[in-house]
Amino acid sequence: MESNGRKRKTLLELQNVSKVFKKDGSDVLVLKDIDLTVDEGEFICVLGPTGCGKSVTLQIVAGLIDQTNGSVILDGKEEHGPGPHKGMVFQEYALLPWRSVVENVEIGLELKGIGRKERRRIALEQLATVGLAGTETQKVHEISVGMRQRVAIARALANSPRILLMDEPFEALDALTKEEMQIQILNVWEKTGTTIMFVTHDVDEAIFLSDRICVMDINPGRVKKMLVNHLPRPRHECMSRTDKEFNDMRDEIIALYSSLKDEELDLII
Ligand SMILES: Nc1ncnc2c1ncn2[C@@H]1O[C@H](COP(=O)(O)OP(=O)(O)O)[C@@H](O)[C@H]1O
Ligand SMILES: [Mg+2]
């Protein structure tokens, strides 16, 4: 696939992935035959209403849970289990409150056995990438929630992941901070070239961020449509609701959910 003028190769492939959970003694099909490819360097958003299986999909890619059927292939190799090459960023940033900002970014590097000096060098570099240079000695409880989420992103980046997996990371933030973080993550993506798979149930967020949007359906969770996002970057200006291209894309997504009942349509639109 060619996007933004760059030739790309496939990084991640989900082939026929399904997931069955036991619920009250019976089997529930939560994900059905997910086929999905993500290109190297791509920003892909997975969009769908609450309960459609976005988090389960991301956790399968992360290796945190096993699929019932199908394969997850990264860099041409079948994946089993978690690893630092798949950096996870959650809504709850899971930082250690008693540690300083830089010590939190160093956690994964410590686990890998990287020496103190090198650890610090990498951590400071990644803090600069997320716009937090100069905050390294602050304690996590002293900084804002938006900054904490940036620390979590820097921590994932410090492991040089092949792919950054983000599960509704900005959901708990107020509108203004959310917007700042969306711009920040695009900066990080442009600076690092890291492939990003970003889960959201916010239609505007998916349109603002993505190269492509994997629109999911519910009951069972499945891919409804893969949309290519042709909106030019940077998008700050064209994201106004009066912009035609933006509205067309929005309308296209909303129309995809026209068959859902109101109570199922749990999307931010
Ligand atoms: N560990 C689990 N055990 C049983 N059911 C689960 C588990 N995790 C998720 N589910 C179910 O799978 C479905 C999809 O969940 P999830 O991926 O969290 O949805 P989303 O992230 O799109 O809101 C939901 O019906 C949820 O209840
Ligand atoms: Mg979820």
Side-chain angles (χ1 to χ4, degrees), residues 49-56 59 91 167-168 199 201:
T50 301
C52 76
K54 301 181 297 297
S55 292
V56 170
Q59 284 169 35
Q91 192 185 107
D167 193 355
E168 311 224 23
V199 162
H201 71 288

Side-chain angles (χ1 to χ4, degrees), residues 4-234:
N4 293 345
R6 281 178 279 172
K7 279 246 184 262
R8 287 167 166 177
K9 73 174 182 67
T10 298
L11 174 70
L12 172 73
E13 222 174 325
L14 272 66
Q15 291 177 346
N16 218 25
V17 167
S18 61
K19 180 70 188 175
V20 173
F21 278 119
K22 282 249 182 276
K23 241 183 214 168
D24 306 324
S26 55
D27 287 348
V28 180
L29 181 62
V30 165
L31 288 180
K32 182 175 160 37
D33 302 336
I34 307 283
D35 280 313
L36 179 71
T37 62
V38 181
D39 291 334
E40 187 147 30
E42 190 175 21
F43 200 129
I44 191 161
C45 283
V46 178
L47 175 74
T50 301
C52 76
K54 301 181 297 297
S55 292
V56 170
T57 303
L58 212 65
Q59 284 169 35
I60 289 172
V61 174
L64 298 173
I65 57 175
D66 288 330
Q67 64 272 32
T68 308
N69 271 308
S71 310
V72 176
I73 295 159
L74 191 75
D75 276 324
K77 289 188 289 282
E78 191 146 347
E79 281 282 303
H80 299 283
H85 58 299
K86 295 178 284 192
M88 259 315 242
V89 179
F90 302 93
Q91 192 185 107
E92 338 51 58
Y93 12 76
L95 302 174
L96 303 178
W98 59 89
R99 283 191 159 210
S100 68
V101 163
V102 71
E103 285 165 354
N104 266 282
V105 178
E106 288 178 4
I107 290 171
L109 303 167
E110 268 173 55
L111 293 173
K112 274 201 222 165
I114 292 172
R116 198 174 53 84
K117 263 203 168 141
E118 179 63 0
R119 239 166 40 211
R120 187 59 46 112
R121 188 192 65 75
I122 296 169
L124 290 176
E125 191 180 307
Q126 293 313 330
L127 281 171
T129 303
V130 299
L132 286 184
T135 65
E136 55 269 16
T137 56
Q138 292 190 49
K139 292 279 187 288
V140 166
H141 67 84
E142 295 170 344
I143 63 174
S144 70
V145 283
M147 286 167 80
R148 286 179 207 169
Q149 196 51 284
R150 290 201 245 172
V151 175
I153 295 166
R155 180 181 55 186
L157 288 173
N159 290 313
S160 314
R162 292 292 287 141
I163 188 164
L164 200 55
L165 304 170
M166 308 187 79
D167 193 355
E168 311 224 23
F170 310 146
E171 220 20 61
L173 306 176
D174 64 85
L176 196 65
T177 313
K178 184 173 180 178
E179 216 176 290
E180 283 169 13
M181 287 303 299
Q182 289 168 349
I183 293 168
Q184 186 69 48
I185 195 65
L186 287 177
N187 285 339
V188 167
W189 175 65
E190 269 150 25
K191 265 192 251 177
T192 61
T194 306
T195 310
I196 300 182
M197 190 169 178
F198 188 107
V199 162
T200 182
H201 71 288
D202 179 337
V203 176
D204 289 2
E205 181 166 69
I207 300 176
F208 183 58
L209 296 175
S210 68
D211 288 329
R212 285 188 303 152
I213 304 175
C214 174
V215 181
M216 285 185 74
D217 211 342
I218 191 166
N219 296 325
R222 58 199 186 276
V223 178
K224 198 176 180 81
K225 194 161 186 190
M226 193 56 107
L227 293 177
V228 180
N229 186 347
H230 292 294
L231 283 179
R233 295 181 191 272

Side-chain angles (χ1 to χ4, degrees), residues 243-254:
D243 184 88
K244 185 177 177 316
E245 277 181 274
F246 170 72
N247 271 315
D248 287 350
M249 182 137 205
R250 217 162 176 274
D251 290 346
E252 186 177 356
I253 292 169
I254 294 163

